Amino acid sequence: MRRFAIALATVATLFLNGCDPEWQTVNQPEITVAGETVLRKGNGAEPQTLDPHRAQGVPEANILRDLYEGLISENPDGTLAPGAATRWEISADGRIYTFYLRKYARWSNGAPLTAEDFVYSLRRGVDPATGSSYAAILSPILHAAAIIEGEVKPESLGVQAIDSHELKITLKSPTRYFLGLLTHTTTYPVYRPSVERFGAAFTQPGNNVSNGAYTLDEWVVASHVTLRRNPRYWDDASTRIDIVKFYGIDDQEAELRRYRAGELDLTSTVPLGQLEWVREHLRDEYRAAPYLGTYYYGLNLTRSPFKNNRALRKALSLAIDRGILVEKVTRGGELAAYGWVPPGIANYSGQALAYAEWSRSRQIKLARRLYRMAGYSRARPLRLEIRYNTSDAHETIAVVIASQWREVLGVHTTLVNEEWKVFLQNVQRRRVTQVYRAAWIGDYNDAYTFAELLHSRFGLNGTGYANPRYDRLLSQAAGEGDQQQRRTLLQQAERVLLADHALIPLYFYVNKRLLKPYIKGYRDNVMDHHYTKNLRIEVPTRTGARRD
Amino acid sequence: MLGYALSRATAAIPTLFLLVTLAFFLIRLAPGGPFDNERQLSPAIEANLQQRYHLDEPLLQQYGRYLWGIARGDFGPSFQYPDLTVTQLIAAGFPVSFTLGGCAMTLALIVGVLLGAIAAINQNGIVDYGVMTVAMLGISMPSFVLAPLLILWLAVYLGWLPAGGLESWRHFVLPVITLAAAQIAFIARLTRGSLIEVLSAQFIRTARAKGLPMHVIFLRHAAPAALAPVVSYLGPATAGIITGSVVIETIFGIPGLGRHFVNGALNRDYTLVLGVVLFYGLLVIVLNLVVDLLYAWLDPRVKY
């Protein structure tokens, strides 16, 4: 018996050691101090880095927008606002931008924020040694493209500090969306002494120095990131929320449950399967707003059956009833897409396929005729594979489209579910892929961010679309200073793309989320950028105590 | 016993070496790489990244470099989290997984043994059937069903406990219960079966014939013998519970090691996956050794 008791005690001690609450003091986030207001955001996936020049996902950008401030910032409605720069001048030829920085802007450690910081940071962004996935977004700046390709040194970038508070940026050619581009995280400044001292670890709490409305307080990987208001921020007096916590919750259902349990103040999304329930029970807290994104099916144009077969591509596009897709499948208020550039984009109005307004029977009739013209029939059906990365939503959409193709044309479709990395590799190699699901989210509020995806030399052009006329229109638009003319060129390009049926647009995204009624200052915007400094909480019980 | 422990520890080295070797080459066979992304990198940037992570070297050289690294305790930088090293990620995630698994196993052991004993003593009675029915339910109900149900009842509707995250001891309650549920059922069934067998053994009959009171027979003679199978189950079960709690970690948003393992594999984070595989391998070996030593301590017939 004694042996048994000792053995049991040993086992119990071994396990209970793990229950020792001591480690929790290491991992436990800051408990709200009396008088401080806390905002708890569901932030989708876990951020992979907090280096603004290496970040590539939406979750990272959400956090970085609070931590850092670029030359240009945004108002709650998404319009541009002065950021680190109070004002700017654009030369008559549209190529030289001169920014005047705030005299009293400071880093979170009290050091002055200077034009040199921006020179260093923009060079770092394009330097191949940094390994930035978004470096190409800085291509409008003089010599940026050559630096990214490793042909010239980062020091040759067209960025110059005239004095400590005056920054000159020279562009390759006039770029209408350049100011909007400067809200992107890749253009944010980083604190050079910190980067040089800590290397990749400069993003860690304790090492990190930032210039935004918040500073990094804690990062518990796979759990949450905590930011605390930056008292040295130039507009700290207007900041209302003291602490903001970003919870990385991959599982959308789990995020919804935590929101319902009162542990989150806003969510990153709403799971597809719960939309009906949410609309019924949380109607006042549900927000759906247009978002700069297009969900589409890419077609591999470099191989049979789509190579040189426009009739077939058009037939497949015509056979899809996008109305059913958005009303019965996605159901979040998405818009059926008959064009490539989503609505709501600045200085642009999207183009649409000619048959967008046709009756369904007329669309089907033409689809069948084109299908026959392409050499297929019920007796000799087309056999296709749709590839998509693992997701219930993608699968449901693929099932619906496959059934529509079968019903309208008699196409035999096989659904191929692939793990993300395998899927990406297959799309990029263009060997086995025929039809693939894809989506494109705008990086900045300009039609060019959508147009460039289909440029023959753009690395992510998975379809292999290469139309010299399209490329030429894009090049002309890129160098065009006149807004009206530029819009016309981009619209022409979109019409060319749609007429070629290089891809099948399916729907335009909406941004879906839940938001507690006590969050004020929140405004819907197409970029879905929501700076915490613009938000406030108006509920007396939320101040000074945590409510869980 | 010390000699036995040492020999087991020595035997673990080739096992771990084999494990690392297999894992190293198997993960490289998976299609796609760590830098395949929606944003394609320029060749110069990709070359720089390849160089930074030594992916531009021949595979055997990379393998040698990796072995040399782990010999020095360096698991390398993570591909998925470029700001962090694998050692940092394991150091942050393991205490969480261990605490969760440890608490769940302790709870499972206490409740499981108790229920099993009650069932065995009341063999074929209503209590026995009741306990075993509950145990069967515990085994049958997957954690991804039980966890959302518990969250809905106890967190969303009643508001007694948090629905997710890990910021205080209260956050542990639901995940520990969920993880322990299936183990309680297993341990209860094991204890019951084993105890019934032991209670009908000759040495128990002798003890009864000698006129010993029932509680003495049970606690001094029957229980230690009956628990031997439970103890041998504990090693692999504990390793499994610590390493296999990925579903629980995802549902409750717990920053443990399991999610790193799965996400690392999906993102082709070679170093993170290898680090976690090696760490898990070591954990399984150590826990099995502890159980074997405990087994010898419990059962006088077992000698090493």
Side-chain angles (χ1 to χ4, degrees), chain A residues 1 4 15 18-19 23 28 48-50 54 56 129 134 148 203 221-222 247 263 419 421 425 428 443 459-460 546, chain B residues 32 34 36-40 42 44 48 52 80 83 99 103 106 162-164 167 219 227 255 259 266 268 294:
Chain A
M1 183 61 210
F4 169 65
F15 293 147
C19 297
W23 73 268
Q28 191 171 341
Q48 298 192 342
T49 172
L50 291 181
R54 286 188 187 147
Q56 42 182 325
Y134 262 104
I148 293 164
T203 60
V221 176
Y247 290 92
E263 293 168 22
E419 187 210 341
K421 293 278 180 181
Q425 194 181 63
Q428 281 159 13
D443 290 321
L460 297 176
R546 241 164 61 105
Chain B
D36 283 334
N37 223 317
E38 275 184 299
R39 301 241 140 232
Q40 208 167 39
S42 83
N48 261 285
R52 183 183 302 163
Q80 188 187 350
D83 308 353
T99 307
C103 292
T106 309
E167 297 171 34
L219 289 176
L227 282 178
R259 281 167 84 189
L266 292 176
R268 306 290 186 269
L294 276 176

Short mmCIF file of all heavy atoms in Angstrom, two decimals, chain A residues 1 4 15 18-19 23 28 48-50 54 56 129 134 148 203 221-222 247 263 419 421 425 428 443 459-460 546, chain B residues 32 34 36-40 42 44 48 52 80 83 99 103 106 162-164 167 219 227 255 259 266 268 294:
data_model
loop_
_atom_site.label_atom_id
_atom_site.label_comp_id
_atom_site.label_asym_id
_atom_site.label_seq_id
_atom_site.Cartn_x
_atom_site.Cartn_y
_atom_site.Cartn_z
N MET A 1 0.83 -1.21 0.00
CA MET A 1 0.00 0.00 0.00
C MET A 1 0.86 1.26 0.00
O MET A 1 0.59 2.23 -0.69
CB MET A 1 -0.90 -0.03 1.25
CG MET A 1 -1.86 1.15 1.32
SD MET A 1 -2.96 1.14 -0.10
CE MET A 1 -3.26 2.87 -0.27
N PHE A 4 2.23 1.91 -3.32
CA PHE A 4 1.18 2.42 -4.22
C PHE A 4 0.95 3.92 -3.96
O PHE A 4 0.86 4.73 -4.88
CB PHE A 4 -0.13 1.64 -3.99
CG PHE A 4 -1.31 2.26 -4.66
CD1 PHE A 4 -1.36 2.33 -6.04
CD2 PHE A 4 -2.34 2.80 -3.92
CE1 PHE A 4 -2.45 2.92 -6.67
CE2 PHE A 4 -3.41 3.39 -4.54
CZ PHE A 4 -3.48 3.44 -5.92
N PHE A 15 2.38 15.57 -12.51
CA PHE A 15 1.35 16.26 -13.30
C PHE A 15 1.00 17.61 -12.69
O PHE A 15 0.87 18.60 -13.38
CB PHE A 15 0.10 15.41 -13.38
CG PHE A 15 0.32 14.16 -14.18
CD1 PHE A 15 -0.34 12.99 -13.88
CD2 PHE A 15 1.22 14.17 -15.24
CE1 PHE A 15 -0.12 11.85 -14.62
CE2 PHE A 15 1.44 13.04 -15.98
CZ PHE A 15 0.76 11.87 -15.66
N GLY A 18 2.78 20.74 -13.34
CA GLY A 18 2.34 21.48 -14.51
C GLY A 18 1.24 22.47 -14.17
O GLY A 18 1.07 23.47 -14.83
N CYS A 19 0.49 22.18 -13.12
CA CYS A 19 -0.61 23.08 -12.73
C CYS A 19 -0.13 24.25 -11.91
O CYS A 19 -0.92 25.10 -11.52
CB CYS A 19 -1.66 22.31 -11.93
SG CYS A 19 -2.42 21.00 -12.88
N TRP A 23 4.00 29.79 -13.78
CA TRP A 23 4.32 30.14 -15.17
C TRP A 23 3.32 31.12 -15.73
O TRP A 23 3.60 31.88 -16.62
CB TRP A 23 4.40 28.88 -16.04
CG TRP A 23 3.08 28.30 -16.31
CD1 TRP A 23 2.45 27.34 -15.60
CD2 TRP A 23 2.17 28.67 -17.34
NE1 TRP A 23 1.22 27.08 -16.11
CE2 TRP A 23 1.02 27.87 -17.18
CE3 TRP A 23 2.20 29.59 -18.38
CZ2 TRP A 23 -0.07 27.97 -18.02
CZ3 TRP A 23 1.12 29.69 -19.22
CH2 TRP A 23 0.01 28.89 -19.03
N GLN A 28 0.63 35.40 -18.55
CA GLN A 28 -0.65 36.08 -18.31
C GLN A 28 -0.60 37.51 -18.82
O GLN A 28 0.30 38.27 -18.51
CB GLN A 28 -0.91 36.09 -16.82
CG GLN A 28 -2.32 36.52 -16.50
CD GLN A 28 -2.62 36.30 -15.04
OE1 GLN A 28 -1.93 35.55 -14.39
NE2 GLN A 28 -3.63 36.95 -14.56
N GLN A 48 2.07 36.47 -38.18
CA GLN A 48 3.31 35.71 -38.30
C GLN A 48 4.53 36.56 -38.01
O GLN A 48 5.58 36.07 -37.66
CB GLN A 48 3.38 35.08 -39.68
CG GLN A 48 2.22 34.12 -39.87
CD GLN A 48 2.34 33.23 -41.07
OE1 GLN A 48 3.10 33.50 -41.97
NE2 GLN A 48 1.58 32.17 -41.09
N THR A 49 4.38 37.86 -38.22
CA THR A 49 5.49 38.76 -37.91
C THR A 49 4.90 40.12 -37.57
O THR A 49 3.80 40.45 -38.01
CB THR A 49 6.46 38.88 -39.11
OG1 THR A 49 7.42 39.91 -38.81
CG2 THR A 49 5.75 39.27 -40.39
N LEU A 50 5.63 40.92 -36.81
CA LEU A 50 5.21 42.30 -36.58
C LEU A 50 6.22 43.25 -37.20
O LEU A 50 6.33 44.41 -36.81
CB LEU A 50 5.03 42.56 -35.08
CG LEU A 50 3.85 41.83 -34.44
CD1 LEU A 50 3.73 42.16 -32.96
CD2 LEU A 50 2.54 42.19 -35.14
N ARG A 54 7.97 42.94 -43.56
CA ARG A 54 7.87 41.51 -43.90
C ARG A 54 6.44 41.02 -43.81
O ARG A 54 6.13 39.91 -44.25
CB ARG A 54 8.73 40.68 -42.96
CG ARG A 54 10.20 40.81 -43.26
CD ARG A 54 10.96 39.82 -42.43
NE ARG A 54 12.38 40.02 -42.58
CZ ARG A 54 13.26 39.82 -41.64
NH1 ARG A 54 12.88 39.41 -40.46
NH2 ARG A 54 14.53 40.02 -41.86
N GLN A 56 2.58 40.24 -44.43
CA GLN A 56 1.86 40.11 -45.69
C GLN A 56 0.37 39.86 -45.51
O GLN A 56 -0.38 39.91 -46.47
CB GLN A 56 2.48 39.03 -46.57
CG GLN A 56 2.90 37.78 -45.85
CD GLN A 56 3.55 36.80 -46.78
OE1 GLN A 56 3.16 36.71 -47.93
NE2 GLN A 56 4.53 36.06 -46.31
N ALA A 129 17.62 41.85 -49.18
CA ALA A 129 18.07 41.20 -47.95
C ALA A 129 16.97 41.16 -46.90
O ALA A 129 16.97 40.30 -46.02
CB ALA A 129 19.29 41.92 -47.39
N TYR A 134 6.09 42.13 -50.04
CA TYR A 134 5.35 43.25 -50.62
C TYR A 134 6.28 44.29 -51.24
O TYR A 134 5.82 45.38 -51.57
CB TYR A 134 4.47 43.90 -49.56
CG TYR A 134 3.04 43.44 -49.61
CD1 TYR A 134 2.54 42.54 -48.70
CD2 TYR A 134 2.19 43.92 -50.60
CE1 TYR A 134 1.23 42.11 -48.76
CE2 TYR A 134 0.87 43.50 -50.67
CZ TYR A 134 0.40 42.60 -49.75
OH TYR A 134 -0.90 42.19 -49.83
N ILE A 148 14.84 45.75 -56.19
CA ILE A 148 14.15 44.50 -55.84
C ILE A 148 14.73 43.33 -56.64
O ILE A 148 14.86 42.22 -56.15
CB ILE A 148 12.63 44.64 -56.08
CG1 ILE A 148 12.04 45.65 -55.10
CG2 ILE A 148 11.91 43.31 -55.97
CD1 ILE A 148 10.67 46.16 -55.47
N THR A 203 11.01 43.20 -33.25
CA THR A 203 9.55 43.26 -33.16
C THR A 203 9.04 42.76 -31.81
O THR A 203 7.84 42.76 -31.57
CB THR A 203 8.93 42.37 -34.25
OG1 THR A 203 9.40 41.03 -34.02
CG2 THR A 203 9.33 42.80 -35.64
N VAL A 221 2.44 34.23 -28.66
CA VAL A 221 2.23 33.57 -29.95
C VAL A 221 1.09 32.55 -29.84
O VAL A 221 0.98 31.84 -28.86
CB VAL A 221 3.53 32.88 -30.42
CG1 VAL A 221 3.29 32.12 -31.72
CG2 VAL A 221 4.62 33.92 -30.63
N ALA A 222 0.24 32.55 -30.85
CA ALA A 222 -0.93 31.66 -30.93
C ALA A 222 -2.01 32.03 -29.93
O ALA A 222 -2.92 31.25 -29.69
CB ALA A 222 -0.54 30.19 -30.76
N TYR A 247 -6.83 39.21 -30.69
CA TYR A 247 -6.84 37.77 -30.46
C TYR A 247 -6.78 37.03 -31.80
O TYR A 247 -7.66 37.23 -32.65
CB TYR A 247 -8.11 37.35 -29.71
CG TYR A 247 -8.09 37.81 -28.27
CD1 TYR A 247 -8.65 39.02 -27.90
CD2 TYR A 247 -7.50 37.03 -27.29
CE1 TYR A 247 -8.62 39.46 -26.58
CE2 TYR A 247 -7.46 37.45 -25.97
CZ TYR A 247 -8.03 38.67 -25.62
OH TYR A 247 -7.99 39.09 -24.32
N GLU A 263 -16.37 38.03 -24.58
CA GLU A 263 -14.91 38.13 -24.45
C GLU A 263 -14.28 38.92 -25.58
O GLU A 263 -13.08 39.19 -25.55
CB GLU A 263 -14.31 36.72 -24.40
CG GLU A 263 -14.71 35.98 -23.14
CD GLU A 263 -14.36 34.52 -23.20
OE1 GLU A 263 -13.48 34.13 -23.97
OE2 GLU A 263 -15.02 33.75 -22.49
N GLU A 419 -4.35 20.84 -50.16
CA GLU A 419 -3.76 21.58 -49.06
C GLU A 419 -3.17 22.88 -49.65
O GLU A 419 -2.72 22.90 -50.80
CB GLU A 419 -2.67 20.70 -48.44
CG GLU A 419 -2.06 21.25 -47.20
CD GLU A 419 -0.62 20.81 -47.07
OE1 GLU A 419 -0.24 19.82 -47.74
OE2 GLU A 419 0.12 21.47 -46.35
N LYS A 421 -0.45 24.79 -49.63
CA LYS A 421 0.85 24.90 -50.32
C LYS A 421 0.86 24.09 -51.62
O LYS A 421 1.47 24.48 -52.60
CB LYS A 421 1.97 24.41 -49.40
CG LYS A 421 2.19 25.30 -48.19
CD LYS A 421 3.03 26.51 -48.53
CE LYS A 421 3.24 27.38 -47.31
NZ LYS A 421 4.05 28.57 -47.59
N GLN A 425 1.29 25.72 -55.36
CA GLN A 425 2.32 25.23 -56.27
C GLN A 425 1.70 24.78 -57.59
O GLN A 425 2.23 25.10 -58.67
CB GLN A 425 3.07 24.07 -55.62
CG GLN A 425 4.35 23.74 -56.34
CD GLN A 425 5.07 22.57 -55.70
OE1 GLN A 425 4.56 21.46 -55.66
NE2 GLN A 425 6.26 22.82 -55.18
N GLN A 428 0.69 27.83 -59.66
CA GLN A 428 1.82 28.55 -60.24
C GLN A 428 2.54 27.76 -61.33
O GLN A 428 3.04 28.33 -62.29
CB GLN A 428 2.79 28.98 -59.13
CG GLN A 428 2.27 30.22 -58.39
CD GLN A 428 2.85 30.40 -57.01
OE1 GLN A 428 3.81 29.75 -56.65
NE2 GLN A 428 2.24 31.27 -56.22
N ASP A 443 -4.71 45.87 -52.56
CA ASP A 443 -3.71 46.31 -51.58
C ASP A 443 -3.86 47.80 -51.29
O ASP A 443 -3.40 48.29 -50.27
CB ASP A 443 -2.30 46.06 -52.11
CG ASP A 443 -2.00 44.57 -52.15
OD1 ASP A 443 -2.42 43.88 -51.22
OD2 ASP A 443 -1.36 44.12 -53.12
N GLY A 459 3.95 38.24 -61.35
CA GLY A 459 4.30 36.92 -60.84
C GLY A 459 3.12 36.05 -60.43
O GLY A 459 3.21 34.84 -60.45
N LEU A 460 2.01 36.66 -60.07
CA LEU A 460 0.90 35.87 -59.53
C LEU A 460 -0.18 35.60 -60.55
O LEU A 460 -1.25 35.15 -60.22
CB LEU A 460 0.29 36.61 -58.34
CG LEU A 460 1.26 36.79 -57.20
CD1 LEU A 460 0.63 37.60 -56.11
CD2 LEU A 460 1.66 35.44 -56.67
N ARG A 546 -12.47 44.48 -15.78
CA ARG A 546 -12.72 43.53 -16.84
C ARG A 546 -14.02 42.82 -16.56
O ARG A 546 -14.31 42.51 -15.41
CB ARG A 546 -11.60 42.50 -16.87
CG ARG A 546 -10.86 42.50 -18.17
CD ARG A 546 -9.58 41.78 -17.96
NE ARG A 546 -9.88 40.41 -17.55
CZ ARG A 546 -9.75 39.38 -18.35
NH1 ARG A 546 -9.38 39.56 -19.57
NH2 ARG A 546 -9.98 38.17 -17.93
N GLY B 32 5.45 21.90 -52.41
CA GLY B 32 5.37 23.28 -51.94
C GLY B 32 6.49 23.55 -50.95
O GLY B 32 7.05 22.63 -50.36
N PRO B 34 8.34 26.67 -48.03
CA PRO B 34 7.95 27.72 -47.07
C PRO B 34 7.70 29.08 -47.72
O PRO B 34 6.97 29.89 -47.17
CB PRO B 34 9.15 27.78 -46.12
CG PRO B 34 10.25 27.03 -46.76
CD PRO B 34 9.64 26.08 -47.72
N ASP B 36 6.41 29.57 -50.82
CA ASP B 36 5.30 29.60 -51.78
C ASP B 36 4.17 30.37 -51.13
O ASP B 36 3.69 29.99 -50.08
CB ASP B 36 4.81 28.17 -52.09
CG ASP B 36 5.75 27.48 -53.03
OD1 ASP B 36 6.43 28.18 -53.79
OD2 ASP B 36 5.83 26.24 -52.99
N ASN B 37 3.78 31.42 -51.77
CA ASN B 37 2.74 32.24 -51.17
C ASN B 37 1.91 32.89 -52.24
O ASN B 37 2.26 32.86 -53.41
CB ASN B 37 3.39 33.30 -50.29
CG ASN B 37 2.66 33.43 -48.98
OD1 ASN B 37 1.43 33.42 -48.97
ND2 ASN B 37 3.39 33.52 -47.90
N GLU B 38 0.83 33.53 -51.80
CA GLU B 38 -0.01 34.23 -52.77
C GLU B 38 0.77 35.37 -53.41
O GLU B 38 0.50 35.77 -54.53
CB GLU B 38 -1.25 34.78 -52.07
CG GLU B 38 -2.36 33.76 -51.98
CD GLU B 38 -3.59 34.37 -51.37
OE1 GLU B 38 -3.51 34.81 -50.22
OE2 GLU B 38 -4.63 34.38 -52.03
N ARG B 39 1.68 35.94 -52.66
CA ARG B 39 2.54 37.00 -53.19
C ARG B 39 3.82 36.35 -53.67
O ARG B 39 4.56 35.80 -52.86
CB ARG B 39 2.92 37.99 -52.09
CG ARG B 39 1.75 38.62 -51.46
CD ARG B 39 1.80 40.11 -51.65
NE ARG B 39 0.46 40.55 -51.92
CZ ARG B 39 0.12 41.31 -52.96
NH1 ARG B 39 1.01 41.72 -53.83
NH2 ARG B 39 -1.11 41.67 -53.15
N GLN B 40 4.08 36.41 -54.94
CA GLN B 40 5.29 35.78 -55.41
C GLN B 40 6.47 36.72 -55.21
O GLN B 40 6.36 37.92 -55.43
CB GLN B 40 5.16 35.41 -56.87
CG GLN B 40 6.03 34.22 -57.21
CD GLN B 40 5.68 33.66 -58.57
OE1 GLN B 40 5.40 34.40 -59.49
NE2 GLN B 40 5.70 32.36 -58.69
N SER B 42 10.30 38.28 -55.78
CA SER B 42 11.23 38.48 -56.91
C SER B 42 12.36 37.48 -56.74
O SER B 42 12.66 37.07 -55.62
CB SER B 42 11.77 39.90 -56.91
OG SER B 42 12.85 40.00 -56.01
N ALA B 44 15.48 37.79 -56.74
CA ALA B 44 16.55 38.25 -55.85
C ALA B 44 16.15 38.09 -54.38
O ALA B 44 16.95 37.67 -53.54
CB ALA B 44 16.87 39.71 -56.14
N ASN B 48 17.71 35.53 -51.55
CA ASN B 48 18.18 36.00 -50.25
C ASN B 48 17.59 35.18 -49.11
O ASN B 48 18.28 34.85 -48.15
CB ASN B 48 17.78 37.47 -50.06
CG ASN B 48 18.94 38.38 -50.36
OD1 ASN B 48 19.86 38.48 -49.57
ND2 ASN B 48 18.91 39.00 -51.52
N ARG B 52 19.41 32.84 -46.44
CA ARG B 52 19.29 33.10 -44.99
C ARG B 52 18.97 31.81 -44.24
O ARG B 52 19.47 31.56 -43.17
CB ARG B 52 18.19 34.13 -44.75
CG ARG B 52 18.07 34.49 -43.28
CD ARG B 52 16.94 35.47 -43.03
NE ARG B 52 17.05 36.69 -43.79
CZ ARG B 52 16.04 37.54 -44.00
NH1 ARG B 52 14.85 37.26 -43.52
NH2 ARG B 52 16.20 38.64 -44.67
N GLN B 80 7.85 30.25 -40.46
CA GLN B 80 6.51 30.82 -40.36
C GLN B 80 6.51 32.09 -39.53
O GLN B 80 5.80 33.05 -39.84
CB GLN B 80 5.59 29.77 -39.72
CG GLN B 80 4.14 30.15 -39.72
CD GLN B 80 3.31 29.14 -38.92
OE1 GLN B 80 3.80 28.09 -38.52
NE2 GLN B 80 2.07 29.47 -38.67
N ASP B 83 10.26 36.33 -36.90
CA ASP B 83 10.80 37.11 -35.78
C ASP B 83 11.26 36.22 -34.62
O ASP B 83 11.83 36.71 -33.66
CB ASP B 83 9.73 38.07 -35.23
CG ASP B 83 9.10 38.94 -36.31
OD1 ASP B 83 9.57 38.89 -37.45
OD2 ASP B 83 8.12 39.64 -36.00
N THR B 99 0.90 21.95 -18.91
CA THR B 99 -0.04 22.26 -17.84
C THR B 99 -1.41 21.70 -18.16
O THR B 99 -2.06 21.04 -17.34
CB THR B 99 -0.17 23.79 -17.67
OG1 THR B 99 1.14 24.31 -17.51
CG2 THR B 99 -1.02 24.15 -16.49
N CYS B 103 -2.86 18.67 -16.01
CA CYS B 103 -4.08 18.84 -15.21
C CYS B 103 -5.15 17.85 -15.68
O CYS B 103 -5.86 17.25 -14.86
CB CYS B 103 -4.61 20.27 -15.33
SG CYS B 103 -3.53 21.46 -14.56
N THR B 106 -4.28 14.34 -14.48
CA THR B 106 -4.49 14.20 -13.04
C THR B 106 -5.98 14.03 -12.74
O THR B 106 -6.38 13.15 -11.99
CB THR B 106 -3.96 15.46 -12.30
OG1 THR B 106 -2.63 15.69 -12.74
CG2 THR B 106 -3.98 15.27 -10.81
N PRO B 162 -14.85 31.33 -18.88
CA PRO B 162 -14.50 31.94 -20.17
C PRO B 162 -14.63 30.95 -21.32
O PRO B 162 -14.46 29.74 -21.13
CB PRO B 162 -13.04 32.35 -19.99
CG PRO B 162 -12.67 32.03 -18.60
CD PRO B 162 -13.72 31.19 -17.98
N ALA B 163 -14.92 31.47 -22.50
CA ALA B 163 -15.12 30.62 -23.67
C ALA B 163 -13.82 30.26 -24.37
O ALA B 163 -13.77 29.34 -25.17
CB ALA B 163 -16.06 31.31 -24.65
N GLY B 164 -12.77 31.01 -24.09
CA GLY B 164 -11.50 30.72 -24.76
C GLY B 164 -10.40 31.59 -24.22
O GLY B 164 -10.63 32.43 -23.35
N GLU B 167 -5.87 33.25 -19.84
CA GLU B 167 -5.36 34.40 -19.10
C GLU B 167 -5.48 34.24 -17.59
O GLU B 167 -5.01 35.09 -16.85
CB GLU B 167 -6.09 35.67 -19.58
CG GLU B 167 -5.81 35.95 -21.05
CD GLU B 167 -6.67 37.06 -21.64
OE1 GLU B 167 -6.98 38.00 -20.91
OE2 GLU B 167 -7.02 36.96 -22.82
N LEU B 219 -7.65 -1.89 -0.20
CA LEU B 219 -6.62 -0.85 -0.35
C LEU B 219 -5.20 -1.43 -0.36
O LEU B 219 -4.35 -0.98 -1.11
CB LEU B 219 -6.75 0.18 0.78
CG LEU B 219 -7.97 1.10 0.69
CD1 LEU B 219 -8.06 2.00 1.89
CD2 LEU B 219 -7.94 1.93 -0.58
N LEU B 227 -3.98 -1.61 -10.31
CA LEU B 227 -3.63 -0.35 -10.98
C LEU B 227 -2.44 -0.48 -11.93
O LEU B 227 -2.15 0.46 -12.67
CB LEU B 227 -3.35 0.74 -9.95
CG LEU B 227 -4.63 1.34 -9.35
CD1 LEU B 227 -4.30 2.37 -8.31
CD2 LEU B 227 -5.51 1.96 -10.43
N PRO B 255 -2.49 28.80 -26.53
CA PRO B 255 -1.20 28.87 -27.24
C PRO B 255 -0.26 27.72 -26.92
O PRO B 255 0.84 27.91 -26.41
CB PRO B 255 -0.62 30.21 -26.76
CG PRO B 255 -1.22 30.43 -25.40
CD PRO B 255 -2.57 29.76 -25.41
N ARG B 259 -0.74 23.31 -31.88
CA ARG B 259 -1.08 24.13 -33.04
C ARG B 259 0.17 24.46 -33.86
O ARG B 259 0.12 24.54 -35.07
CB ARG B 259 -1.73 25.44 -32.58
CG ARG B 259 -3.18 25.25 -32.21
CD ARG B 259 -3.70 26.44 -31.48
NE ARG B 259 -4.11 27.51 -32.37
CZ ARG B 259 -4.45 28.72 -31.95
NH1 ARG B 259 -4.39 29.03 -30.69
NH2 ARG B 259 -4.84 29.63 -32.80
N LEU B 266 1.60 22.57 -42.17
CA LEU B 266 0.83 23.14 -43.28
C LEU B 266 1.59 24.27 -43.97
O LEU B 266 1.47 24.47 -45.17
CB LEU B 266 -0.52 23.67 -42.78
CG LEU B 266 -1.50 22.60 -42.30
CD1 LEU B 266 -2.75 23.23 -41.74
CD2 LEU B 266 -1.87 21.66 -43.47
N ARG B 268 4.83 24.47 -44.18
CA ARG B 268 6.17 23.99 -44.55
C ARG B 268 7.25 24.72 -43.75
O ARG B 268 8.28 25.11 -44.29
CB ARG B 268 6.43 24.16 -46.04
CG ARG B 268 5.39 23.55 -46.94
CD ARG B 268 5.42 22.03 -46.90
NE ARG B 268 4.51 21.48 -47.87
CZ ARG B 268 3.22 21.17 -47.62
NH1 ARG B 268 2.73 21.35 -46.39
NH2 ARG B 268 2.45 20.69 -48.55
N LEU B 294 7.96 3.27 -12.57
CA LEU B 294 6.85 3.23 -11.61
C LEU B 294 6.24 1.84 -11.53
O LEU B 294 5.88 1.35 -10.47
CB LEU B 294 5.75 4.21 -12.04
CG LEU B 294 5.94 5.66 -11.62
CD1 LEU B 294 4.81 6.51 -12.22
CD2 LEU B 294 5.92 5.79 -10.10
#
